[in-house]
Amino acid sequence: MEQRQLGGSGLWVSRTALGTMTWGKDIEEEEAADQLAAFVDAGGTLVDTADIYTGGHSERIVGRLLRTVVRRDDVIIATKVGHTPEGHRRGDTSRRHLLASLDASLRRMQVDHVDLWQLHVHDPDTPAEETLAALDTAVSSGRVRYVGVGDFAGWQLAKYATWQRAGQSIGRVPIVSVGREYSLLNRHAERELLPAVADCGAGLLAWSPLGRGVLTGKYRTGVPGDSRGALPHMASYVEPYFDERSRRVVESVCTAAEGLGVSPLAVALSWVRDQPHVASTTVGPRTAAQLGDVLAAEGVVLPREI
């Protein structure tokens, strides 16, 4: 699998990342182990988790598999912080919350550091200077190697990245990545975020490149009983892409796939993967077979006409 430089940093990551959002709920640990082993065997390195995924169980499973399935040095562990589902506000990026949450993530994964630590959300109630100083502390203490942000607007990324860049001589660490949903069904990142990513020298980690599974074509004639769209807790996540505009895009993807002799998944994934400033695309397969389809798309390059 191709490795790409993350922003302007010295960190290189696989251009496909293994997402773990449902590990510990929809995906049992044995299935997760099979996926991780196959992913690393194919050359994948970037494993994406977060402190809130399945109430912390995702991080715990990642940690156990680092001791039993793959070597810690063979993977880039990326986790996130900032959501407060049990708190009095949606997000908290105060120094207190960030550093306490980092220590909790390290305990759950039983590691002494994470490779990429990301602000999951923007917190308007905490001064940016305080938030960014906590990121600097995390790196200087050795608990974090690189830092990034998640669901930020372009201007928020520019503000944070510029502050860090201006103070690099006094130890501020650069923002090397931005995470955002990006697919043929959701191109909002192109409006202002991608120009900001380019200007700030960061790399985009594109999540849900398959349009929450809709771009695979599996929902063309209904909702399969074994799909995420059929799960009560996931149906509302998938349903926004059942509209007429999305249907037309899916049909176009399927037409292109038929003409090229590849799967719709391969068309949708390779389109996102090869967009400028995309460092990696995060996929969250439910089964080893689905992961196999993703890995099989590694060699697909869309013709310019498509």
Side-chain angles (χ1 to χ4, degrees), residues 180-183 186-195 271 275:
R180 173 64 70 86
E181 181 174 5
Y182 187 33
S183 74
N186 186 331
R187 300 177 65 171
H188 298 314
E190 295 173 354
R191 296 178 182 174
E192 53 132 20
L193 182 63
L194 276 173
W271 181 87
Q275 291 299 307

Side-chain angles (χ1 to χ4, degrees), residues 50-268:
D51 60 352
I52 64 163
Y53 287 172
T54 58
H57 293 313
S58 173
E59 288 187 332
R60 293 187 186 94
I61 292 173
V62 168
R64 286 194 289 267
L65 298 185
L66 290 178
R67 300 192 307 279
T68 59
V69 175
V70 298
R71 298 188 310 161
R72 171 67 181 89
D73 290 345
D74 289 340
V75 293
I76 305 296
I77 298 300
T79 194
K80 309 179 198 72
V81 64
H83 273 299
T84 53
E86 306 301 327
H88 61 278
R89 53 196 175 115
R90 175 175 175 264
D92 183 352
T93 63
S94 66
R95 180 184 291 105
R96 175 181 181 273
H97 179 75
L98 291 181
L99 296 180
S101 297
L102 173 59
D103 288 338
S105 288
L106 295 176
R107 285 194 299 270
R108 282 191 288 268
M109 290 188 281
Q110 300 182 55
V111 296
D112 62 2
H113 73 279
V114 295
D115 301 293
L116 178 63
W117 195 41
Q118 305 152 93
L119 298 174
H120 213 163
V121 292
H122 178 259
D123 172 15
D125 298 318
T126 299
E129 297 87 345
E130 177 180 335
T131 297
L132 292 167
L135 301 186
D136 296 337
T137 297
V139 174
S140 64
S141 69
R143 290 174 287 176
V144 168
R145 298 294 187 258
Y146 298 88
V147 298
V149 298
D151 194 13
F152 274 42
W155 71 265
Q156 293 164 344
L157 165 64
K159 177 181 178 179
Y160 280 48
T162 301
W163 177 266
Q164 293 301 92
R165 183 184 300 163
Q168 281 188 268
S169 62
I170 57 173
R172 294 180 194 157
V173 296
I175 303 296
V176 303
S177 69
V178 186
R180 173 64 70 86
E181 181 174 5
Y182 187 33
S183 74
L184 281 165
L185 295 182
N186 186 331
R187 300 177 65 171
H188 298 314
E190 295 173 354
R191 296 178 182 174
E192 53 132 20
L193 182 63
L194 276 173
V197 166
D199 188 67
C200 294
L204 183 71
L205 302 178
W207 53 270
S208 200
L210 300 177
R212 309 182 185 187
V214 175
L215 285 166
T216 64
K218 71 172 67 174
Y219 298 103
R220 293 171 78 188
T221 58
V223 179
D226 61 348
S227 68
R228 280 202 176 107
L231 298 174
H233 63 283
M234 293 295 289
S236 62
Y237 179 69
V238 179
E239 285 171 358
Y241 295 148
F242 288 167
D243 62 347
E244 177 59 23
R245 175 191 171 278
S246 298
R247 186 196 67 79
R248 293 197 302 270
V249 174
V250 171
E251 290 304 315
S252 296
V253 167
C254 291
T255 298
E258 183 177 357
L260 295 172
V262 300
S263 67
L265 177 152
V267 171

